[in-house]
Amino acid sequence: MPRLVGNLLSRMPGSNATTSRDGICSPPEDLRPLSLRLNFSWTFVANVVYSGCQFGLLVALARLGSTEMVGRYALGLAITAPIFMFASLSLATIQATDAGNEYNPGQYIGLRLATSALALLGVGLVVWFAGYGPEVGPLVMLIGLAKTVESLSDILYGIFMRRERLDLVAQSMIVRGILSLACFALALRATGHLEAAVLALIIVWLAVLVGFDRPHAARLAPLAPAVGRRTLLGLAWLALPLGLVTGANSFGQQLPRLFLERVNGETELGIFAAIASLAAAGNIVAYGLSRSAAPRLAQYWAEGAVAEFRALVQRLVSLGALVGLACAVGALLVGRPFLGVVFGSEYAARKAVLIWIVLATGMNTTGTFLGTAVTAARKFPVQLLVHSGKIAVIAFVCLLFGRRYGALAAALALLAGGVFSNLAFLAIAIRLVRRRAEEVAGARGLVMRPGGRGAPREIGGLVAVARAGIQEAER
């Protein structure tokens, strides 16, 4: 399968870019990098549309299906998401932040093909050993197949991100989101089977991959997958810490759902998943904005532009906090009627669940931005410790309150995990910025030292500036 898909990616027509020796293409004039403002704008609009469409999928499922059907769909996502997040190794982000062109696009694509195939195999093994019956097993495998197609689009998004052309990512997401919602709802209404609706998703995502993502990516980079074992193993080893981080983060987010299904049943899981889809929409927006900022953050870090790096992180975190606060106020004021109108009376009585989930989403948003800053600094292993601690906190809250409070306990667990990860990432980011400021000040001092009598004064001024930046970061 990886070889077949790789041949499809590499042989389709559409590339008119000039390839350099390191495997990077010189883009045509109409595909030059966009400004950070334009990339942010495109990303924000696309993620709002896409997250709204994903929310619409759950609304359609709740209205056209049943609470148990929502629960089965949520279970399929809870099983497949951590596996594919780990297998992705965050290659798109690593590719986007590869300021030194350490690996070429074909090597990223080759590794993604291999890991996606292994992830689908892993999903099958989980279904087999967990003993899921005919009502759940085939559905989980179909969702896994959809995730495989999505992972291939994701690695091409990495090429767009590297070239700072987030408008192409945005257009792909908008088309994919709208068509997915329409085809999912139509298939569910026509057949009454969730499997048919997921199959419609697969067809739509494959069409967008072949018809939009691949032709545009081919204009920016050669897409022939690399097959050199030593090179791919080296890239996999580099990306493994971040893959563990993203996999652990996803597992932490899905852990309450898995707990609810085992302890409280599919109905309680369905209620939680439907309400939490609002949070998922917020997470998609945060993830998209963080990815649009990642290349610029990596550039600032590599160039030693500490002040610019810190300022951009502060803007992102402030944005996340404001959005989370606004959503929490909205949930408090109109949460009950909103749930009743959108999902039905069965959900309207769970206003408290909505409030705690929205607060958890705000925490997760700011945590995502802080984690992106740490990723841009190429500090991967320490993130695994943070997410391991987050998982432990979530598991503790679920075990302590889950059986009695169900969906409410799951929401509280996500909030507690978010508080822990935010505090940890904040401490790490402050420490990294302080060290980087010292490194930059030291490097500039060494360069200026041969400059004669004026050098000590210049060095002292630089050190003073660096110390001022450190004090500001610590505040």
Side-chain angles (χ1 to χ4, degrees):
M1 179 179 175
R3 181 173 298 178
L4 177 62
V5 178
N7 290 337
L8 178 64
L9 287 173
S10 60
R11 292 180 182 177
M12 289 179 61
S15 176
N16 60 353
T18 303
T19 307
S20 62
R21 293 180 61 184
D22 59 0
I24 306 298
C25 289
S26 299
E29 289 296 330
D30 60 332
L31 289 179
R32 295 299 181 185
L34 299 181
S35 67
L36 183 61
R37 184 183 299 273
L38 280 176
N39 279 325
F40 259 82
S41 300
W42 270 107
T43 301
F44 182 79
V45 171
N47 280 278
V48 168
V49 173
Y50 188 76
S51 60
C53 292
Q54 293 299 298
F55 175 67
L57 291 182
L58 270 296
V59 174
L61 199 52
R63 288 296 188 178
L64 300 176
S66 63
T67 307
E68 290 78 10
M69 194 177 290
V70 176
R72 286 197 297 272
Y73 182 69
L75 177 61
L77 292 177
I79 293 172
T80 58
I83 296 174
F84 273 89
M85 287 300 290
F86 166 67
S88 74
L89 299 176
S90 288
L91 289 178
T93 300
I94 292 177
Q95 183 178 9
T97 58
D98 188 4
N101 296 326
E102 188 176 355
Y103 293 92
N104 64 52
Q107 292 163 343
Y108 286 102
I109 293 173
L111 183 57
R112 173 56 58 87
L113 290 171
T115 57
S116 296
L118 291 175
L120 187 59
L121 176 61
V123 170
L125 292 175
V126 170
V127 170
W128 175 268
F129 286 109
Y132 289 112
E135 290 187 353
V136 176
L139 174 64
V140 174
M141 292 306 301
L142 282 173
I143 294 176
L145 187 57
K147 290 287 185 182
T148 303
V149 177
E150 184 181 40
S151 71
L152 299 180
S153 286
D154 177 73
I155 198 62
L156 298 184
Y157 288 174
I159 296 175
F160 302 151
M161 292 161 59
R162 180 69 186 88
R163 288 296 188 181
E164 297 192 60
R165 290 303 304 251
L166 275 298
D167 58 321
L168 299 177
V169 178
Q171 292 166 27
S172 174
M173 291 179 62
I174 290 172
V175 172
R176 188 154 58 98
I178 294 174
L179 291 180
S180 296
L181 176 57
C183 294
F184 183 93
L186 289 174
L188 185 61
R189 183 178 181 85
T191 65
H193 294 289
L194 182 54
E195 291 81 1
V198 176
L199 183 60
L201 284 184
I202 296 172
I203 295 173
V204 168
W205 291 1
L206 187 60
V208 174
L209 169 66
V210 175
F212 183 90
D213 299 337
R214 191 270 160 206
H216 284 85
R219 301 183 65 198
L220 293 171
L223 303 183
V227 295
R229 180 179 301 179
R230 178 174 298 180
T231 300
L232 296 187
L233 287 177
L235 177 56
W237 183 254
L238 171 69
L240 181 60
L242 194 54
L244 291 171
V245 166
T246 54
N249 183 41
S250 178
F251 180 71
Q253 294 296 316
Q254 302 301 332
L255 182 58
R257 293 167 172 81
L258 296 171
F259 186 89
L260 282 176
E261 190 272 334
R262 287 294 179 180
V263 176
N264 304 93
E266 290 181 351
T267 300
E268 188 74 5
L269 172 59
I271 292 174
F272 175 80
I275 298 175
S277 62
L278 292 169
N283 291 335
I284 291 173
V285 173
Y287 184 60
L289 289 175
S290 68
R291 293 179 73 172
S292 69
R296 188 63 58 91
L297 285 171
Q299 180 182 352
Y300 287 154
W301 187 266
E303 294 175 352
V306 178
E308 291 81 358
F309 180 90
R310 182 175 56 246
L312 181 52
V313 173
Q314 289 174 344
R315 291 203 303 269
L316 289 169
V317 172
S318 299
L319 175 63
L322 288 175
V323 171
L325 181 61
C327 292
V329 172
L332 185 63
L333 295 178
V334 299
R336 186 182 299 274
F338 176 81
L339 291 176
V341 170
V342 174
F343 294 112
S345 58
E346 186 177 7
Y347 299 85
R350 303 298 188 96
K351 174 185 174 182
V353 177
L354 174 62
I355 293 173
W356 291 112
I357 284 178
V358 168
L359 289 173
T361 302
M363 284 290 174
N364 187 69
T365 300
T366 56
T368 298
F369 293 145
L370 288 170
T372 301
V374 177
T375 298
R378 313 293 278 184
K379 305 298 182 183
F380 304 140
V382 69
Q383 298 183 50
L384 182 59
L385 296 177
V386 175
H387 288 294
S388 297
K390 179 180 178 180
I391 290 173
V393 171
I394 292 173
F396 176 77
V397 175
C398 286
L399 290 172
L400 195 61
F401 302 110
R403 189 175 297 275
R404 182 175 180 180
Y405 295 103
L408 182 60
L412 290 173
L414 290 178
L415 177 60
V419 171
F420 174 86
S421 62
N422 267 263
L423 293 175
F425 275 130
L426 180 60
I428 293 168
I430 291 175
R431 185 176 180 85
L432 287 174
V433 168
R434 180 171 59 191
R435 287 185 175 180
R436 187 59 173 157
E438 292 173 349
E439 291 173 359
V440 172
R444 290 176 177 174
L446 289 175
V447 171
M448 292 183 179
R449 187 171 298 277
R453 295 179 179 178
R457 183 174 299 177
E458 293 173 351
I459 295 170
L462 286 170
V463 173
V465 171
R467 286 176 177 170
I470 294 168
Q471 293 170 359
E472 181 181 349
E474 291 175 335
R475 287 196 296 268

